[in-house]
Amino acid sequence: MKKGRFIVLEGLDGSGKGTQADLLIEEMKRQGRNVYLTAEPTASSTGGMLRDALGGFVSRDAYELSAMFLLDRIFHNANPKNGIRQYIENGIDVVCDRYYYSSFAYQGIDADLKWVMDMNLNCPEILKPDLCIFLDISPEAGEKRIADNRLDREIYENAQAQKRIRARFYEVFELLKDSENIKIVDASRTVQEVSADIIKIYNQLKEN
Ligand code: TYD
């Protein structure tokens, strides 16, 4: 049986990943693909602990957060009920809102980047995506979208952190340019323009 495709959407907070994931999936289904939408942090108990930390209700350092995201990601790949691996091996495509690139960019601003990258990239349980699409917006534009849509702010949702995280994303994409399939899309345009670009990139993925 042909394996499913594994596609990740990444971006700063407020970059429109959720909306774009929905539009991409609509198009993939229109093309006859079977698609499963998922996100990190997951709905696991580790995901719950992460949400407490992201919400600022519990204080965790960047190394604890990195390890917790790693644990959540291993569960996300390997759990027998709705793990990513199960879907891919059964020929179902997976679209995931955030993945290890977020750990590199977000935890990598305070924890040692190489350590965070090594433990994710060298873990045999953690699948490598076929494609990562980065929705690029300026930290200022993201800030505006967050301010318009949210009442509460998570620990990384401030202009200073977002600026450092965006720089980290670019640094990481440069480090990974020969080993991963990463495409950057200008997400400051209209929803339709951004979606058209994402679909174009998706259509360039080779049949596997
Ligand atoms: P987000 O996509 O903003 O979810 P929601 O809109 O439901 O809040 O992701 C939650 C936060 O988690 C976001 O600020 C980025 C952060 N994050 C990390 O710091 N490291 C990671 O490895 C992942 C997957 C997410």
Side-chain angles (χ1 to χ4, degrees):
M1 180 193 285
K2 273 191 187 167
K3 284 191 174 181
R5 293 168 177 163
F6 181 17
I7 297 159
V8 169
L9 292 183
E10 285 282 4
L12 293 183
D13 294 271
S15 57
K17 290 178 285 90
T19 307
Q20 292 300 336
D22 289 343
L23 292 170
L24 173 61
I25 283 175
E26 207 174 279
E27 171 63 19
M28 289 167 74
K29 287 187 173 160
R30 203 189 58 74
Q31 294 185 18
R33 309 285 303 189
N34 226 330
V35 197
Y36 173 69
L37 173 63
T38 186
E40 293 190 359
T42 72
S44 71
S45 49
T46 315
M49 287 167 71
L50 280 163
R51 286 185 197 287
D52 282 344
L54 291 166
F57 305 109
V58 177
S59 174
R60 301 268 184 197
D61 81 13
Y63 288 90
E64 287 182 280
L65 286 174
S66 305
M68 288 161 69
F69 275 112
L70 181 79
L71 174 59
D72 191 42
R73 189 161 299 125
I74 294 172
F75 170 83
H76 196 194
N77 275 271
N79 92 77
K81 189 163 174 269
N82 59 355
I84 293 171
R85 189 179 295 275
Q86 296 281 326
Y87 289 102
I88 300 290
E89 283 174 1
N90 286 306
I92 297 166
D93 296 336
V94 173
V95 173
C96 186
D97 180 343
R98 294 196 186 279
Y99 199 56
Y100 50 50
Y101 314 93
S102 279
S103 287
F104 306 161
Y106 283 75
Q107 282 64 62
I109 60 173
D110 295 314
D112 180 73
L113 177 62
K114 186 174 178 313
W115 179 77
V116 182
M117 290 181 77
D118 284 350
M119 68 178 184
N120 277 276
L121 297 174
N122 296 334
C123 174
E125 292 281 31
I126 296 181
L127 289 179
K128 175 167 140 179
D130 297 302
L131 171 65
C132 165
I133 299 177
F134 179 68
L135 301 187
D136 194 23
I137 46 162
S138 67
E140 294 74 26
E143 168 66 24
K144 186 170 181 323
R145 288 194 199 164
I146 294 166
D148 290 348
N149 295 316
R150 307 257 169 93
L151 287 176
D152 302 325
R153 282 179 181 254
E154 294 186 337
I155 52 172
Y156 295 112
E157 289 179 343
N158 63 79
Q160 178 68 17
Q162 295 290 309
K163 219 170 142 192
R164 293 173 66 204
I165 292 161
R166 182 169 180 264
R168 256 320 193 206
F169 265 122
Y170 270 90
E171 201 180 310
V172 163
F173 293 157
E174 185 58 29
L175 290 171
L176 295 175
K177 69 174 190 294
D178 296 328
S179 54
E180 304 247 344
N181 184 15
I182 298 163
K183 304 279 191 242
I184 298 172
V185 166
D186 173 3
S188 66
R189 299 164 299 157
T190 65
V191 169
Q192 287 73 20
E193 283 170 326
V194 176
S195 174
D197 261 16
I198 291 174
I199 289 166
K200 208 155 114 196
I201 292 168
Y202 166 75
N203 285 335
Q204 286 162 359
L205 260 189
K206 289 196 187 67
E207 273 295 329
N208 52 28

